Amino acid sequence: MNEMDQARRDLVIANRILAREDVVDAYGHVSMRHPQDPGRYLLSWSRSPELVEGGDIVEFTLDGKKVSADNRPPYLERFIHGAIYEARPDVQAVIHSHAEDLLPYGITHAKLPPVIHSGSVIGNDVPIWDIAEKFGRATNLLVVNMEQGRDLAKTLAGNRLALMRGHGFAAAGRSLMDAVRIGVYAPKNARVHMAALRLGVPLPLHPGEIEARTDLFNPNTAEMWRAWEYWARRANVADLLGEPPKAAKGTSRN
Amino acid sequence: MNEMDQARRDLVIANRILAREDVVDAYGHVSMRHPQDPGRYLLSWSRSPELVEGGDIVEFTLDGKKVSADNRPPYLERFIHGAIYEARPDVQAVIHSHAEDLLPYGITHAKLPPVIHSGSVIGNDVPIWDIAEKFGRATNLLVVNMEQGRDLAKTLAGNRLALMRGHGFAAAGRSLMDAVRIGVYAPKNARVHMAALRLGVPLPLHPGEIEARTDLFNPNTAEMWRAWEYWARRANVADLLGEPPKAAKGTSRN
Amino acid sequence: MNEMDQARRDLVIANRILAREDVVDAYGHVSMRHPQDPGRYLLSWSRSPELVEGGDIVEFTLDGKKVSADNRPPYLERFIHGAIYEARPDVQAVIHSHAEDLLPYGITHAKLPPVIHSGSVIGNDVPIWDIAEKFGRATNLLVVNMEQGRDLAKTLAGNRLALMRGHGFAAAGRSLMDAVRIGVYAPKNARVHMAALRLGVPLPLHPGEIEARTDLFNPNTAEMWRAWEYWARRANVADLLGEPPKAAKGTSRN
Amino acid sequence: MNEMDQARRDLVIANRILAREDVVDAYGHVSMRHPQDPGRYLLSWSRSPELVEGGDIVEFTLDGKKVSADNRPPYLERFIHGAIYEARPDVQAVIHSHAEDLLPYGITHAKLPPVIHSGSVIGNDVPIWDIAEKFGRATNLLVVNMEQGRDLAKTLAGNRLALMRGHGFAAAGRSLMDAVRIGVYAPKNARVHMAALRLGVPLPLHPGEIEARTDLFNPNTAEMWRAWEYWARRANVADLLGEPPKAAKGTSRN
C-alpha cells in the first residue's frame, strides 16, 4: 500500500473513531496534512464522519480550494483546517468538533486545565476564540472563510486546543493519532474537572508532568497502538488497521 | 412517489429519529400539516414512535377529529398539534415530548437561553406553560381538549418552543426537518447550559446570531441533509430516505 | 393460556423490562401476588432478572417459605415481598431495587417529591427506612427475615415507594404493570428533581394532580399498553406479549 | 481443567468484565497471584483488556520480570501489581484502572466514604497516593519501576483501594471476583456520593456495616455467582464460565 493510500485509510479510521467516541456526530470533521505536499490537506467532502470511506477523501490547498475537479460539496468550515496548517508547520492533523463536554467552558470563559494524565494532551493553556470579537455579533458562528480561519489560528497560537465560543473546538495534532487522542481525552478531562469542582479545588497537572507526557508521545509504541487498535475495533474498522508497529507486536499469541 | 406518500414516509422517518435520539419513548409524538390541506394534519394513531410505519399515519382535522372512519385509538394529547396549526399558519410540523433534559426548566421557571450554535433552533425566548394557571390544580396534566391546546398555543405565541410545567414541551417547526432539529438540539442546549452554570454565568448567543442561523435554514443544503441522513441511519430507516437534494449529492463517490 | 401461565409470563416480562431499563442488574427482584391465593406470591429463584424464564418462577408463602419442594436457592431478601403483601392487601406486585438515581435521597434524608407527571407514580410521600434504627449499626444492610421485612413494611405504610438507607428501594404496585411504572419512572423523577435543584426550587406536582393521575391508571387503556409493549420490545420479549386489550387495538394497521 | 487453566480462564473473564463495565478501556489491567507460586503473578501482555484471551496471559515474578522467554511487550505499569503482592500476602488479585468516576476524588483530596451497601467493598478508608510527593513534579505519572510501585503499596497499606492523583486507582482483592467487585462498585459508590452532595451531607455506612458485609464475602454463594454470571454474559464470555458452585445451582430449571 503506497503512502497516499495509507493516509486515506488512516483518515477513514480517524473519522470512524471520532464518530464512535461521540467526538463528532453529523457535524465535525478531521483532516490530515498531505503526506507529500505540506501545502495541501486531505479531508472528506460534506459527509457525516461515520459514513466516510476512502473514496470520500478530497485534496484541498491550504486556502480551501479543491485540487482536482470534483462536484461534491465540501464542508463549509474547511477553512479551520487550512488556516491552522498555514500557521503551524508542526501540525499534521486537525479536528473540528462540537463535543458536548467542552462547550460549557467556551460559554463561561472558565479555564480548562489538564487534571488527568490522559488529559495532558490538551496542553498547558486552552485559549477561547470568540468569533464576535472580530466579526461582530451577527454571524452564524461558522468559520466560512480564510479570514475567520486565520483569526481562529491566531488565537490557537502555539497551543494544541482552542475552544470556540458557543460552537465547539479545534484541535491540532503532531500526527493523526495525536489529534485523535486530543479529541477523545479532552472531553474526558473536562468531565473530570467539572465533577471535581463539586468536591473542591481541582489540582491541575504540574507543568513538568505535562511536558514529560508530551515528550512521551511516539506512535510506534505498544501503548499508542493499543489505543488505536481498541478504538478502531469499537468503530468496526479493525479490518482497515495495517500492520502494528514492531514494538507492539506479539509473536507467540495463540 | 406522490406527495402524500412522501409526507407519510418522512413522518415515519421523523418518528424513528426522535425515538432513537431519546426525544420520545413510548410517549411523545410528532405530526406534520397535511401537504395539500392546511386544515388537516398527519399523526400516527396511539403507537410508540419507534414502531410507527406508513400505515399508522392518520389524518385529523385541526380540532382533532379523524377525517376517515378508523377504529384505532388516537393519542389523547393530539390537541397540542391541532391548536398550534390553528394559531400558527407558518408552522408545518409539531413535536410533543417529555425529554428529560428540558423538564428541570419547566419546574423551576428558570430561563433557558440558546447558548450553542445548534441550540439557536429554540429561538430567543422559551415560554413556560403551566396548565394549573387556567385549568386548576387537579388536572392529570395532559392536554386533552382544544381549549387546553389553545391555551398552550397562546403561551407558545410566535415562538419555536414552549415548555409545559411538570410534563414536557411542544416544538413548532417551519418544516418537519426543522421540528426534528428543535427536538434534538433543545435538550443538548439545555445540558450545556446546565453544565455551564457550574462554571459561571453562561453567555447566551447574541440575538443577531440567532437570527443569522434561523435565516440559514434550508432543507435543500448539503448541511441539512447530512444530519437527516445521519439520524435516519442511526434509527435504521436509511432505506426510507429518498433522493438527496441536488446540493447534497456527490457524483464521484466510489 | 390459563391464569397461572399468564401470571408467570407477565412476571418474566417484568423481570426483563426492569433489567433492560437499568432498574435492576444482577441484584434486585420483582414479585407478584399469587393470582388465586392472596397468601402466596410468585418470585424467581436466585437468578439475575435479565435471565429469568417461566420455569424459574417459584411460589412462596408470605413468610418466605417455598410452597413446593425445590432445591434452587431463593433470594436472600425475599422477605421484603412477603412482608409488604402481608401488610397491604391492596398491593399486587413488589419491586426491590438498587437503582442508582434514588440512592442519594436515602443517604441524605432529602425529600423526593413527584415533580413530573410520570413521576406521580411515587405518590405524595416517599418515606425512608433505615435498618440501623431498629436492628443496629452492624447489619449487612440486607432484609433477611420477616422481622426486618415487617419493619420496612411499617415504614412504607400506605405509600407506594420507600427508600432504604444506603441500599435501595421497595415499590408497591396495584398491579404488576403499575409496579413496573414506579420502577421506571421513580428514577427519572429523581434525576429531573436533582437537576432542577441546580436551577432553583423545584415545584412539586399539586396533590390534586397526583390524585387525578393515580385515578387514571387502568391497564386496559391504549396508553398503558403502549408503554408495556414498548418496554417489552426493548427488552427483547415482545414475543411473550399476549393480545393487547381491546381499547389498544388497531384493526386497520398495514 | 487444571488449576492453571482455570486461573487463566478466570483472568480472561475478569478482563472482559472490566472492559464491558467501563472500568478499563484500552488502558488499565487486572492480574491475579499465581495459584501455585505466591512469588509470581499472571497478567496479560500489553493488550486492551477487552481483547485478552487465554494465550495472552504471561507469568511475572513479583519484581515484574517475565518468567519465560516471551518477546511480547508487557504493560509499562505492571509494577503496581507486583509491589502490592509483595507487600500484601492476603491479596490475590489487583486492578489498575483510570475509571472516570473516581478521578475527581484523587485531584481534590476529597474523602470518598462507602455510602451504599455494594460500595462497602472500598473499605473504611481510601488513601490517595500522589506520585509527585516522592518522585517530583516532572514524572509522566506512570508507575514504571518497583520503587514507585512500592511507594504506592505503602500508601495503600492494609486498605482495599488507593486513588492515584491525576491518574486512576489500584484495587486489592482477596480473590479475583473480590477485586472485580471493587472495580465495578467503587465507581457506582462515587457517583452516588457525588450526587448526594447536591442534596445534603451524605451519611456513610457505619463501620460495623462495612465489617459485616466484608465478612459476608464468599465466592461460593448463589449471590456472588449471580453477579459473576451476569457480568460474564454482558461481556459475551458466558461460554467461558465453568460450573457454578453447588450453592448457586438450580436443578429443576427448564
Side-chain angles (χ1 to χ4, degrees):
Chain A
M1 190 180 269
N2 68 38
E3 195 178 19
M4 280 308 293
D5 285 344
Q6 272 184 34
R8 269 188 289 263
R9 178 202 67 191
D10 289 347
L11 194 50
V12 169
I13 295 175
N15 269 277
R16 304 298 186 91
I17 288 174
L18 295 171
R20 173 64 181 79
E21 304 299 326
D22 289 327
V23 182
V24 297
D25 48 21
Y27 301 113
H29 17 84
V30 53
S31 69
M32 66 183 289
R33 198 188 285 270
H34 192 293
Q36 292 159 347
D37 179 352
R40 298 182 181 179
Y41 63 92
L42 307 176
L43 178 69
S44 170
W45 65 281
S46 180
R47 299 207 86 195
S48 292
E50 79 166 16
L51 305 178
V52 168
E53 297 171 13
D56 294 320
I57 306 296
V58 178
E59 274 185 48
F60 293 91
T61 53
L62 296 195
D63 59 356
K65 298 199 173 69
K66 286 178 203 157
V67 170
S68 313
D70 185 327
N71 72 351
R72 296 172 298 183
Y75 294 124
L76 291 180
E77 296 197 282
R78 62 195 177 282
F79 306 98
I80 294 170
H81 302 264
I84 293 175
Y85 291 124
E86 183 185 83
R88 292 276 300 276
D90 62 311
V91 169
Q92 301 302 323
V94 170
I95 296 171
H96 171 55
S97 150
H98 310 150
E100 196 169 313
D101 297 311
L102 291 174
L103 290 167
Y105 291 85
I107 61 175
T108 49
H109 290 259
K111 268 295 169 198
L112 173 63
V115 292
I116 54 173
H117 76 329
S118 55
S120 63
V121 292
I122 68 173
N124 274 298
D125 192 47
V126 179
I128 300 172
W129 179 68
D130 186 342
I131 194 171
E133 278 181 31
K134 180 150 178 190
F135 301 96
R137 300 185 165 198
T139 71
N140 60 21
L141 286 127
L142 303 179
V143 175
V144 293
N145 57 48
M146 279 306 283
E147 193 190 355
Q148 292 175 334
R150 283 173 183 142
D151 195 53
L152 166 59
K154 201 173 144 190
T155 297
L156 173 66
N159 296 296
R160 296 168 58 77
L161 180 66
L163 305 184
M164 302 158 75
R165 192 263 307 164
H167 179 173
F169 71 75
R174 290 164 297 174
S175 72
L176 190 59
M177 200 187 279
D178 189 36
V180 168
R181 290 173 69 87
I182 303 174
V184 173
Y185 290 125
K188 179 175 179 177
N189 185 77
R191 289 191 299 271
V192 172
H193 178 257
M194 193 167 277
L197 288 171
R198 291 197 211 158
L199 299 173
V201 179
L203 182 65
L205 296 189
H206 299 296
E209 291 170 339
I210 299 171
E211 206 177 312
R213 290 193 60 83
T214 306
D215 291 350
L216 190 76
F217 182 79
N218 175 347
N220 295 319
T221 59
E223 288 70 35
M224 295 302 144
W225 178 259
R226 207 191 321 158
W228 189 250
E229 181 191 20
Y230 170 79
W231 288 324
R233 279 177 175 265
R234 280 163 60 94
N236 282 322
V237 287
D239 58 307
L240 295 185
L241 284 169
E243 191 68 2
K246 214 172 149 191
K249 234 184 303 198
T251 55
S252 53
R253 201 186 144 221
N254 54 0
Chain B
M1 189 180 271
N2 67 38
E3 194 178 22
M4 280 307 294
D5 285 344
Q6 272 184 33
R8 270 188 288 263
R9 178 201 68 189
D10 289 347
L11 194 49
V12 169
I13 296 174
N15 269 277
R16 303 299 186 90
I17 288 174
L18 295 171
R20 172 64 181 78
E21 303 300 326
D22 289 327
V23 181
V24 297
D25 49 21
Y27 301 112
H29 18 84
V30 52
S31 70
M32 66 184 288
R33 198 187 285 270
H34 192 293
Q36 292 159 348
D37 179 352
R40 298 181 180 179
Y41 62 92
L42 306 177
L43 179 69
S44 170
W45 65 281
S46 180
R47 300 207 85 194
S48 292
E50 78 165 18
L51 306 178
V52 168
E53 297 171 13
D56 294 320
I57 307 297
V58 178
E59 274 185 47
F60 293 92
T61 53
L62 296 195
D63 60 354
K65 296 197 175 68
K66 285 178 202 156
V67 170
S68 314
D70 185 327
N71 72 351
R72 297 174 297 184
Y75 293 124
L76 291 180
E77 297 197 281
R78 62 195 177 282
F79 305 99
I80 294 170
H81 301 263
I84 292 175
Y85 291 123
E86 183 185 83
R88 292 275 300 275
D90 61 312
V91 169
Q92 301 302 323
V94 170
I95 295 171
H96 170 55
S97 149
H98 309 151
E100 196 168 311
D101 297 310
L102 290 174
L103 290 167
Y105 292 85
I107 60 176
T108 49
H109 291 257
K111 268 296 169 197
L112 173 63
V115 293
I116 53 173
H117 76 328
S118 55
S120 63
V121 292
I122 68 173
N124 274 298
D125 192 46
V126 179
I128 300 172
W129 180 68
D130 186 342
I131 194 171
E133 279 180 30
K134 179 149 179 190
F135 301 96
R137 300 185 163 197
T139 70
N140 60 21
L141 285 127
L142 303 180
V143 175
V144 293
N145 57 48
M146 280 306 281
E147 193 190 354
Q148 292 175 333
R150 283 172 182 143
D151 194 53
L152 165 60
K154 201 173 143 190
T155 296
L156 174 66
N159 296 294
R160 295 167 59 76
L161 180 66
L163 304 184
M164 302 158 76
R165 192 264 307 165
H167 179 173
F169 72 74
R174 291 163 296 172
S175 72
L176 190 58
M177 200 186 281
D178 189 36
V180 168
R181 291 173 68 88
I182 303 174
V184 174
Y185 290 125
K188 179 175 179 177
N189 185 77
R191 290 192 298 271
V192 172
H193 179 257
M194 194 167 276
L197 287 171
R198 292 198 211 158
L199 298 173
V201 180
L203 182 66
L205 296 189
H206 299 296
E209 291 170 339
I210 300 172
E211 204 176 314
R213 290 194 59 83
T214 306
D215 291 350
L216 190 76
F217 182 79
N218 175 347
N220 293 319
T221 59
E223 288 68 37
M224 296 302 144
W225 178 259
R226 202 185 333 151
W228 189 250
E229 182 192 19
Y230 170 80
W231 287 325
R233 279 178 176 265
R234 279 163 60 93
N236 283 321
V237 287
D239 58 306
L240 296 184
L241 284 169
E243 190 68 2
K246 213 173 151 191
K249 234 184 303 198
T251 56
S252 53
R253 201 187 143 218
N254 55 0
Chain C
M1 190 180 269
N2 68 37
E3 194 178 23
M4 280 307 293
D5 285 345
Q6 272 183 35
R8 269 188 288 263
R9 178 201 67 189
D10 289 346
L11 194 49
V12 168
I13 295 175
N15 269 277
R16 303 299 186 90
I17 288 174
L18 295 171
R20 173 64 181 79
E21 304 300 325
D22 289 327
V23 182
V24 298
D25 49 20
Y27 300 112
H29 17 85
V30 53
S31 69
M32 65 184 289
R33 198 186 284 271
H34 193 293
Q36 292 159 348
D37 179 352
R40 298 181 180 181
Y41 63 93
L42 306 176
L43 179 70
S44 170
W45 65 281
S46 181
R47 299 207 86 195
S48 293
E50 78 166 17
L51 306 178
V52 168
E53 297 172 13
D56 294 320
I57 307 296
V58 179
E59 274 185 48
F60 294 91
T61 55
L62 295 195
D63 59 356
K65 296 198 175 67
K66 285 178 202 158
V67 171
S68 313
D70 186 326
N71 71 351
R72 296 173 299 183
Y75 293 124
L76 291 180
E77 297 197 282
R78 63 195 177 282
F79 305 99
I80 294 170
H81 302 264
I84 293 175
Y85 291 124
E86 183 185 82
R88 292 276 300 275
D90 62 311
V91 169
Q92 301 302 322
V94 169
I95 296 172
H96 170 55
S97 150
H98 309 150
E100 196 169 312
D101 297 311
L102 291 174
L103 290 167
Y105 292 85
I107 60 175
T108 48
H109 290 258
K111 269 297 169 197
L112 173 62
V115 292
I116 53 173
H117 76 329
S118 55
S120 63
V121 292
I122 69 173
N124 274 299
D125 192 47
V126 179
I128 300 171
W129 179 69
D130 185 342
I131 194 172
E133 277 180 31
K134 179 149 179 192
F135 301 97
R137 299 184 164 200
T139 70
N140 60 21
L141 286 126
L142 303 179
V143 175
V144 293
N145 57 47
M146 280 306 282
E147 193 189 355
Q148 293 175 334
R150 282 171 183 143
D151 195 54
L152 165 59
K154 201 173 143 190
T155 296
L156 174 66
N159 295 295
R160 294 168 58 76
L161 180 66
L163 304 184
M164 302 158 76
R165 192 264 307 163
H167 179 174
F169 71 75
R174 291 163 296 174
S175 72
L176 191 59
M177 200 186 280
D178 189 36
V180 168
R181 291 172 69 86
I182 303 175
V184 173
Y185 290 125
K188 179 175 179 176
N189 185 77
R191 289 191 299 271
V192 172
H193 179 256
M194 192 166 279
L197 287 171
R198 291 198 211 158
L199 298 173
V201 179
L203 182 66
L205 296 189
H206 300 296
E209 290 170 339
I210 299 171
E211 205 176 313
R213 289 194 60 84
T214 306
D215 291 350
L216 190 77
F217 182 78
N218 176 346
N220 295 320
T221 59
E223 288 69 36
M224 295 302 145
W225 178 260
R226 206 192 322 157
W228 189 251
E229 181 192 20
Y230 170 80
W231 287 324
R233 279 177 175 264
R234 279 164 60 93
N236 283 321
V237 287
D239 57 307
L240 296 185
L241 285 169
E243 190 69 3
K246 214 172 151 191
K249 233 185 301 200
T251 55
S252 54
R253 200 188 144 218
N254 55 0
Chain D
M1 190 180 270
N2 68 38
E3 194 179 21
M4 280 307 294
D5 285 344
Q6 272 183 34
R8 269 188 288 263
R9 179 201 66 190
D10 288 347
L11 194 49
V12 169
I13 295 175
N15 270 277
R16 304 298 187 90
I17 288 174
L18 295 171
R20 172 64 181 79
E21 303 300 326
D22 289 327
V23 182
V24 297
D25 49 21
Y27 301 112
H29 17 85
V30 53
S31 69
M32 67 183 288
R33 199 187 284 271
H34 192 293
Q36 291 159 349
D37 179 352
R40 298 181 180 181
Y41 62 92
L42 306 176
L43 178 69
S44 170
W45 64 281
S46 179
R47 298 207 86 193
S48 293
E50 79 167 17
L51 306 178
V52 168
E53 297 172 14
D56 294 320
I57 307 297
V58 178
E59 274 185 48
F60 293 92
T61 54
L62 295 196
D63 59 356
K65 298 198 174 67
K66 286 178 201 158
V67 170
S68 313
D70 185 327
N71 71 350
R72 297 174 297 183
Y75 293 125
L76 291 181
E77 297 197 282
R78 62 195 177 282
F79 305 98
I80 294 170
H81 302 264
I84 293 175
Y85 291 124
E86 183 184 83
R88 292 275 300 275
D90 61 312
V91 168
Q92 301 302 322
V94 170
I95 295 171
H96 171 55
S97 149
H98 310 150
E100 196 169 313
D101 297 311
L102 291 175
L103 290 167
Y105 291 86
I107 60 175
T108 50
H109 291 258
K111 269 296 169 198
L112 173 63
V115 293
I116 54 173
H117 77 329
S118 55
S120 64
V121 292
I122 69 173
N124 274 298
D125 191 46
V126 179
I128 299 172
W129 180 69
D130 186 342
I131 195 171
E133 278 181 31
K134 179 149 178 191
F135 301 96
R137 299 185 164 198
T139 71
N140 59 21
L141 286 126
L142 303 179
V143 175
V144 293
N145 57 49
M146 280 305 283
E147 193 189 354
Q148 293 174 334
R150 283 173 183 142
D151 194 54
L152 165 59
K154 202 173 142 190
T155 296
L156 173 66
N159 295 295
R160 295 167 59 76
L161 179 66
L163 304 184
M164 302 159 75
R165 191 264 307 164
H167 179 172
F169 71 74
R174 290 163 297 173
S175 73
L176 190 58
M177 199 187 280
D178 189 35
V180 168
R181 291 172 68 86
I182 302 175
V184 174
Y185 290 126
K188 179 174 179 177
N189 185 77
R191 289 191 298 271
V192 172
H193 178 256
M194 194 167 278
L197 287 171
R198 291 198 211 158
L199 298 174
V201 179
L203 183 65
L205 296 189
H206 299 297
E209 291 170 339
I210 299 172
E211 205 176 314
R213 289 193 59 83
T214 307
D215 291 349
L216 190 76
F217 181 79
N218 175 346
N220 295 319
T221 59
E223 287 70 36
M224 295 302 144
W225 178 259
R226 207 192 320 157
W228 189 250
E229 181 192 19
Y230 170 79
W231 287 324
R233 280 177 175 265
R234 279 162 62 93
N236 282 321
V237 287
D239 58 307
L240 296 185
L241 284 169
E243 190 68 2
K246 215 171 150 190
K249 234 184 303 198
T251 55
S252 53
R253 200 188 144 219
N254 55 0

